Amino acid sequence: MAVVIEDDDDIREVVHAVLEASGLEVYAAGNGVDGVDAVRLHNPDVITLDLGLPDIDGIEVTRRVREFSDAYIVMLTARAREVDTLQGLAVGADDFVTKPFRPRELLARVETLLRRPRGSTLLNGSGGTTTAELPPAGGALSLNAPTASPVKASGQAAEPSGLEHNGLYLDVATRTTRVGTEEVQLTRTEFDLLQALMEAGRVVRSTTGLARWLHAREYETGGYVSESEERAIQVHIANLRRKLGDSAQSPRWVETVRGVGYRLAAKSSEN
């Protein structure tokens, strides 16, 4: 299901038709307040959102929606300034498309969000665990090592869907995250990036590689990644750190490898 929030009648009809033709049930709103109400009523999987709305702008809509929904948010913006896009990502949007756009491009972005590769921890033949990342359709299975430790219950085998690192717990099956006993609310994109980093462990994931992965282009190694897409990853990582209470200078979980990308911080001796 999708909600389209757009004040331009022509663009709203185009986006509505494109998403509906892809098989989604679509609801539309012509301003921000009605859009927030539509999201609350219909609980969509994805939202397309114009930044320049007549009442409250798309950034404020995103803030309000994130109070109750984890739907994927794709911003549609005609604004040339990158700061507007980055501000939208900073308050919880997942992706952006700049106007004028081709309907096929928008549809590709939405479909990518809805089929993001998920990870699972698999039992290997020796009774241990191997973490495998599920690639986009048509890709080969990619094994990453070392990884964050699978969560273990007392006296039981490793929990297949759980990862733990320095007191940070991530459960892929329930898509929940907690630090110690406190649950942390992440957007879907923040969760997906954290999962990618925890599965890779101390192996560095480049900013460019993470951008390709988010857009299902991990195996198109020559695929172009724009500076805006790389900056979007940096903003998502900053949001993730803020919610976890992590520090870029003295990281407990997400470590920056300057000029390259990110990886898990070293394992604490307390764990």
Side-chain angles (χ1 to χ4, degrees):
M1 184 180 295
V3 167
V4 176
I5 307 175
E6 170 64 62
D7 65 315
D8 185 294
D9 293 341
D10 292 335
I11 295 177
R12 186 169 64 249
E13 289 178 7
V14 168
V15 176
H16 189 292
V18 168
L19 297 181
E20 192 170 57
S22 74
L24 290 170
E25 184 178 358
V26 184
Y27 297 89
N31 61 64
V33 172
D34 289 347
V36 173
D37 290 342
V39 173
R40 193 184 303 275
L41 176 63
H42 299 296
N43 190 27
D45 300 298
V46 64
I47 301 162
T48 66
L49 172 61
D50 181 25
L51 273 181
L53 295 167
D55 49 356
I56 57 175
D57 66 16
I59 292 171
E60 179 59 26
V61 170
T62 300
R63 287 195 184 98
R64 296 187 186 186
V65 165
R66 281 291 174 245
E67 293 177 357
F68 62 87
S69 172
D70 68 346
Y72 287 123
I73 298 177
V74 180
M75 298 181 300
L76 306 181
T77 175
R79 301 178 184 181
R81 294 192 310 163
E82 182 183 4
V83 64
D84 296 310
T85 299
L86 296 179
Q87 189 174 357
L89 295 172
V91 296
D94 296 284
D95 203 354
F96 64 95
V97 176
T98 303
K99 299 177 183 176
F101 58 87
R102 293 175 297 175
R104 185 173 298 179
E105 177 189 5
L106 174 61
L107 181 58
R109 290 297 181 99
V110 170
E111 289 181 341
T112 295
L113 288 171
L114 295 177
R115 67 168 187 267
R116 282 254 180 94
R118 304 302 184 193
S120 62
T121 304
L122 310 175
L123 289 177
N124 62 32
S126 63
T129 59
T130 301
T131 299
E133 184 172 303
L134 302 182
L141 192 64
S142 172
L143 300 182
N144 300 309
T147 68
S149 303
V151 177
K152 296 182 180 180
S154 178
Q156 298 180 359
E159 170 59 47
S161 66
L163 294 168
E164 184 277 339
H165 186 76
N166 289 345
L168 172 64
Y169 301 87
L170 180 145
D171 192 298
V172 177
T174 61
R175 293 187 64 80
T176 55
T177 308
R178 59 186 174 88
V179 174
T181 59
E182 183 177 351
E183 186 169 343
V184 180
Q185 300 297 325
L186 302 178
T187 67
R188 295 186 183 188
T189 293
E190 291 160 2
F191 184 95
D192 292 342
L193 285 172
L194 179 59
Q195 179 184 338
L197 293 175
M198 292 187 76
E199 290 179 341
R202 293 286 288 166
V203 176
V204 180
R205 297 211 61 165
S206 70
T207 305
T208 300
L210 287 170
R212 286 197 185 103
W213 177 78
L214 283 182
H215 297 113
R217 290 180 288 163
E218 185 171 15
Y219 297 92
E220 299 175 19
T221 55
Y224 174 72
V225 173
S226 69
E227 291 184 8
S228 294
E229 289 176 315
E230 291 190 358
R231 285 284 296 134
I233 294 296
Q234 294 167 4
V235 172
H236 287 312
I237 293 293
N239 289 343
L240 176 61
R241 281 176 167 149
R242 174 177 52 80
K243 291 182 179 181
L244 294 178
D246 205 7
S247 165
Q249 290 71 38
S250 301
R252 182 178 177 185
W253 297 297
V254 180
E255 176 182 336
T256 299
V257 180
R258 190 172 299 277
V260 183
Y262 306 94
R263 66 181 176 188
L264 283 190
K267 192 74 173 178
S268 171
S269 60
E270 298 178 2
N271 291 273

